[in-house]
Amino acid sequence: MRPTPEQLAAAHGGEIDDVLAPGLKVLFCGINPGLYSGAVGLHFARPGNRFWPALHAGGFTPRLFRPDEQRELLDLGLGITNLAARTTARADELAKEELHQGGLILTEKLARYRPRWLAVVGITAYRTAFRQPKATVGEQAGTIAGTKVWVLPNPSGLNAHWTPAALGEEFRRLRVASEEDLTHPQ
């Protein structure tokens, strides 16, 4: 059921719970929840967000999951968190310092939960949060708290220059790397 305008307004500044457990294969990290996600309490919930189709197209899920099935990701060794917990109408409402602080909090989560890979969905947010102005989409050099890092394009429908097929291909590249990591540990 779609949230009402009143429910969307009430969601501003709220938070939603992480989908997180120790030892995940990949922890996906959004920028921050939008109002729609905040109103329904689910990650990447707004119709038109291409996260769930890209996750499936990339081969991470055996079928297209709905946002209300997000907890089932844990059984696949996958999780979801955000750089900034606060819900907003647009990601550009977040201050640079809020993203820097979010990067520190995320680093603590990585140290505690030890996923093999962190996949940040949003190159600009990653650059800001981790002070990596020249970062590009794909695998990053080095680790954060011992976790390998991959930056994915933002799956928002507003990021139109990344087609659904291109998003799926980038997610597939991460999946292949994460599987190779399991079969050929360093």
Side-chain angles (χ1 to χ4, degrees):
M1 176 158 40
R2 287 181 172 255
T4 66
E6 294 78 19
Q7 290 169 320
L8 290 172
H12 199 278
E15 296 183 8
I16 57 178
D17 292 336
D18 289 338
V19 177
L20 191 54
L24 296 172
K25 289 187 283 188
V26 181
L27 177 61
F28 291 91
C29 180
I31 301 167
N32 76 307
L35 296 181
Y36 195 105
S37 287
V40 299
L42 301 168
H43 294 276
F44 302 103
R46 183 176 192 78
N49 189 295
R50 301 174 301 169
F51 174 79
W52 298 101
L55 199 64
H56 177 60
F60 281 104
T61 59
R63 61 177 173 74
L64 179 58
F65 280 27
R66 298 181 315 266
D68 65 337
E69 297 174 302
Q70 66 185 17
R71 306 252 4 128
E72 293 179 36
L73 292 176
L74 295 173
D75 294 335
L76 301 173
L78 308 173
I80 304 174
T81 190
N82 288 289
L83 277 169
R86 180 173 68 94
T87 59
T88 61
R90 296 177 324 278
D92 64 6
E93 293 177 45
L94 301 170
K96 286 184 180 181
E97 191 49 47
E98 193 169 0
L99 289 172
H100 292 292
Q101 186 62 32
L104 296 173
I105 293 167
L106 179 58
T107 299
E108 291 171 4
K109 286 180 189 179
L110 296 175
R112 179 176 178 197
Y113 289 96
R114 313 296 293 168
R116 289 185 182 269
W117 285 89
L118 169 68
V120 179
V121 291
I123 185 68
T124 302
Y126 173 79
R127 288 173 178 160
T128 302
F130 293 101
R131 295 183 167 107
Q132 297 292 324
K134 296 183 186 213
T136 60
V137 168
E139 185 173 356
Q140 304 303 299
T143 63
I144 300 173
T147 298
K148 293 182 179 183
V149 180
W150 194 287
V151 177
L152 293 164
N154 186 333
S156 167
L158 299 174
N159 191 7
H161 65 277
W162 279 87
T163 66
L167 278 172
E169 177 58 22
E170 195 59 35
F171 274 64
R172 186 197 67 75
R173 288 181 60 227
L174 167 59
R175 181 188 50 80
V176 168
S178 69
E179 289 174 354
E180 288 174 354
D181 185 49
L182 290 173
T183 58
H184 300 87
Q186 309 254 349

